[in-house]
């Protein structure tokens, strides 16, 4: 089952985001190396097990060597047993190291929030901030749990499958390469079309989350001013916008798997017919053809896996970029506190004192962190000496 995709929007600065993420992965490089070794071992064992069809058919079944067949079957069983054990090891180890990394990132993000100025919280909705800890962090967590090992496995399978196809029958492999090219061309087209809508989906999701959070927090005010119907209409509009963007995005991305599978089926049928003709004419042996067809049948699997994981990795990297952007915001400088003493004297932390000279007057003040979104509009007030 393909991983859950929230967005395949490409990060604005992919290299910087990867560098920051690799800095966290670098703290666990020894464990990740162990994971990579077992992933490669799993992929190699799977390729070897498939190749063993050729000698089993040619050397034992065709000549009726029962004892040799039993030994070969036992050998294949050992191969797949090693593959299963290696898959169990790398999946368990990867989950643990991924959760350690997520804990470190979550801790660093929360620690940074404690140092950010009021401007940061005034210029972002609660939903956007919560999205960093929920949607973005969850997507990154799933990516680290699965994508690191799956990408390595997909690469091993893809390279290994193409290599074995050429070893078994280089003529038929030229046909397979053509279908590989067609599959990648369609995936590139589909991904390009879906990125725009995935970006809109992400924007509408953050907007809707922020609106829900603010609505729930302000229920008392909403009830007092009888604003329920207007809030419901606003919610419906935001929800419809999210639905439209998500539908358009998934309409393109969901065709990738079926399209690749359909191309692979047609490829398999064509190769099977041509390979059968070659076997009849003595240009290929039965064992090689049997093993070859299994490799062809499995050739679409690494493409599908790579496609699903690449889309999900883009989603995770976009989320990671938003997390790291918060971490990179300049922290608020602690300028100390002041204490109001008697006779209108302010006492600073450094021991110095400043005398309060008079009243505070705001006369038609307009203030905002950006000119397009003022927070205070035409504010006037007078604070007498000693007042708060």
């Amino acid at each position: 089952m393909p991983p859950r995709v929230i967005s395949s929007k490409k990060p604005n600065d992919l290299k910087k985001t990867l560098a920051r993420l690799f800095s966290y992965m670098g703290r666990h490089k020894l464990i990740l190396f162990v994971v990579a070794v077992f992933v490669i071992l799993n992929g190699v064992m799977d390729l070897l097990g498939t190749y063993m069809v050729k000698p089993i058919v040619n050397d034992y079944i065709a000549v009726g060597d029962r004892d040799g067949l039993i030994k070969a079957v036992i050998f294949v069983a050992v191969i797949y047993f090693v593959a299963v054990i290696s898959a169990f090891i790398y999946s368990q180890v990867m989950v643990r190291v991924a959760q350690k990394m997520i804990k470190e990132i979550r801790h660093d993000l929360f620690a940074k929030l404690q140092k950010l100025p009021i401007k940061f919280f005034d210029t972002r909705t609660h939903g956007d901030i919560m999205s960093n800890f929920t949607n973005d962090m969850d997507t990154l967590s799933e990516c680290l749990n699965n994508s690191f090992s799956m990408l390595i496995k997909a690469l091993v399978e893809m390279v290994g499958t193409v290599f074995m196809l050429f070893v078994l029958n280089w003529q038929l492999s030229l046909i397979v390469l053509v279908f590989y090219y067609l599959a990648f061309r369609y995936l590139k087209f589909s991904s390009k079309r879906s990125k725009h809508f995935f970006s809109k989906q992400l924007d509408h999701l953050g907007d809707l989350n922020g609106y829900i959070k603010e609505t729930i927090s302000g229920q008392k005010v909403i009830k007092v001013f009888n604003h329920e119907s207007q809030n419901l209409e606003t919610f419906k509009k935001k929800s419809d916008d999210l639905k439209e963007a998500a539908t358009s995005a998934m309409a393109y991305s969901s065709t990738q798997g079926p399209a690749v599978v359909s191309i692979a089926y047609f490829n398999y049928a064509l190769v099977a017919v041509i390979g059968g003709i070659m076997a009849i004419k003595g240009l290929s042996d039965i064992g090689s053809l049997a093993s070859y067809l299994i490799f062809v049948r499995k050739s679409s699997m690494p493409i599908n896996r790579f496609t699903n994981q690449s889309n999900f990795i883009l989603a995770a990297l976009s989320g990671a970029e938003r997390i790291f952007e918060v971490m990179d915001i300049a922290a608020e400088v602690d300028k100390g506190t002041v204490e109001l003493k008697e006779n209108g004297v302010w006492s600073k932390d450094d021991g110095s004192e400043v005398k309060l000279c008079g009243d505070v007057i705001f006369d038609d003040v307009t203030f905002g962190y950006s000119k397009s979104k003022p927070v205070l509009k035409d504010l006037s007030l007078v604070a007498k000496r000693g007042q708060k």
Side-chain angles (χ1 to χ4, degrees):
M1 195 175 172
R4 175 173 58 91
V5 177
I6 296 176
S7 166
S8 59
K9 176 185 177 183
K10 185 177 179 179
N12 296 322
D13 193 338
L14 181 60
K15 291 183 179 180
K16 182 179 178 181
T17 304
L18 284 174
R20 290 290 296 274
L21 191 58
F22 285 151
S23 68
Y24 284 94
M25 297 178 71
R27 304 175 187 178
H28 312 279
K29 54 187 176 183
L30 180 60
I31 301 179
L32 292 176
F33 175 76
V34 173
V35 171
V37 169
F38 279 101
V39 171
I40 294 173
L41 177 62
N42 174 264
V44 171
M45 290 296 103
D46 188 43
L47 293 171
L48 180 59
T50 303
Y51 177 78
M52 283 300 297
V53 173
K54 175 183 176 179
I56 287 176
V57 173
N58 290 342
D59 300 339
Y60 304 116
I61 295 179
V63 299
D65 185 355
R66 182 177 179 181
D67 294 336
L69 178 62
I70 293 176
K71 293 179 180 179
V73 171
I74 293 175
F75 179 65
V76 172
V78 172
I79 291 175
Y80 282 109
F81 178 75
V82 173
V84 170
I85 294 299
S86 61
F88 175 79
I89 293 175
Y90 79 67
S91 61
Q92 292 297 311
V93 175
M94 192 65 226
V95 167
R96 284 167 171 75
V97 69
Q99 291 310 307
K100 288 182 180 178
M101 292 172 57
I102 290 297
K103 177 184 176 182
E104 293 168 357
I105 296 174
R106 186 187 296 114
H107 177 272
D108 291 346
L109 177 61
F110 189 80
K112 188 55 179 285
L113 286 181
Q114 313 308 307
K115 301 177 182 179
L116 293 180
I118 297 297
K119 176 182 177 180
F120 170 81
F121 299 96
D122 281 349
T123 55
R124 286 169 172 78
T125 65
H126 293 163
D128 285 337
I129 299 174
M130 289 299 299
S131 183
N132 292 138
F133 285 95
T134 54
N135 294 335
D136 295 338
M137 202 69 72
D138 289 345
T139 307
L140 183 58
S141 175
E142 291 184 31
C143 174
L144 292 175
N145 286 337
N146 303 306
S147 298
F148 176 79
S149 55
M150 288 299 101
L151 274 182
I152 297 177
K153 185 174 182 180
L155 182 61
V156 171
E157 289 179 343
M158 193 176 300
V159 175
T161 299
V162 172
F163 175 77
M164 295 306 301
L165 288 175
F166 274 91
V167 169
L168 292 169
N169 192 319
W170 69 268
Q171 296 96 331
L172 290 177
S173 299
L174 296 178
I175 300 176
V176 176
L177 286 182
V178 172
F179 282 94
Y180 258 58
Y181 173 77
L182 294 176
F184 277 115
R185 289 290 297 177
Y186 177 79
L187 292 174
K188 183 179 180 180
F189 164 77
S190 179
S191 298
K192 185 177 180 180
R193 295 285 293 174
S194 63
K195 281 180 181 179
H196 169 70
F197 294 106
F198 273 122
S199 177
K200 292 181 64 176
Q201 177 189 354
L202 186 66
D203 293 337
H204 289 309
L205 179 62
D207 187 29
L208 183 62
N209 285 343
Y211 183 76
I212 292 173
K213 174 66 171 62
E214 292 168 0
T215 300
I216 294 174
S217 301
Q219 273 299 310
K220 291 183 179 179
V221 177
I222 293 171
K223 294 290 185 182
V224 169
F225 289 95
N226 194 26
H227 211 265
E228 294 91 337
S229 59
Q230 292 92 328
N231 277 33
L232 182 58
E233 289 300 319
T234 303
F235 175 81
K236 287 181 178 179
K237 175 65 170 59
K238 294 180 181 295
S239 183
D240 286 340
D241 290 341
L242 176 59
K243 182 199 71 173
E244 293 298 327
T247 301
S248 299
M250 296 307 297
Y252 284 104
S253 65
S254 61
T255 62
Q256 294 178 352
V260 171
V261 171
S262 298
I263 293 175
Y265 281 152
F266 187 75
N267 177 33
Y268 181 82
L270 181 62
V271 169
V273 172
I274 297 177
I277 295 174
M278 293 178 67
I280 292 174
K281 293 185 176 182
L283 300 176
S284 175
D285 58 80
I286 300 299
S288 295
L289 180 61
S291 180
Y292 189 90
L293 290 178
I294 297 176
F295 275 116
V296 172
R297 182 68 183 86
K298 296 171 64 175
S299 64
S300 64
M301 294 175 60
I303 300 178
N304 265 332
R305 186 177 293 115
F306 181 81
T307 302
N308 290 331
Q309 293 301 321
S310 63
N311 283 339
F312 193 56
I313 285 174
L314 285 177
L317 290 177
S318 294
E321 183 177 53
R322 289 187 293 274
I323 292 172
F324 295 144
E325 283 175 352
V326 175
M327 291 184 182
D328 291 339
I329 296 175
E332 187 173 27
V333 179
D334 187 0
K335 298 180 180 179
T337 58
V338 293
E339 179 183 357
L340 179 60
K341 293 187 175 181
E342 297 179 358
N343 302 322
V345 174
W346 291 97
S347 177
K348 295 185 176 181
D349 284 350
D350 59 6
S352 62
E353 294 184 346
V354 178
K355 184 173 179 60
L356 184 61
C357 298
D359 303 335
V360 176
I361 300 175
F362 281 10
D363 185 16
D364 196 23
V365 174
T366 298
F367 168 78
Y369 295 112
S370 63
K371 293 182 178 180
S372 60
K373 294 181 180 180
V375 179
L376 302 178
K377 300 178 181 179
D378 304 327
L379 175 66
S380 298
L381 61 84
V382 177
K384 296 294 184 181
R385 177 179 173 182
Q387 285 184 323
K388 294 184 180 179

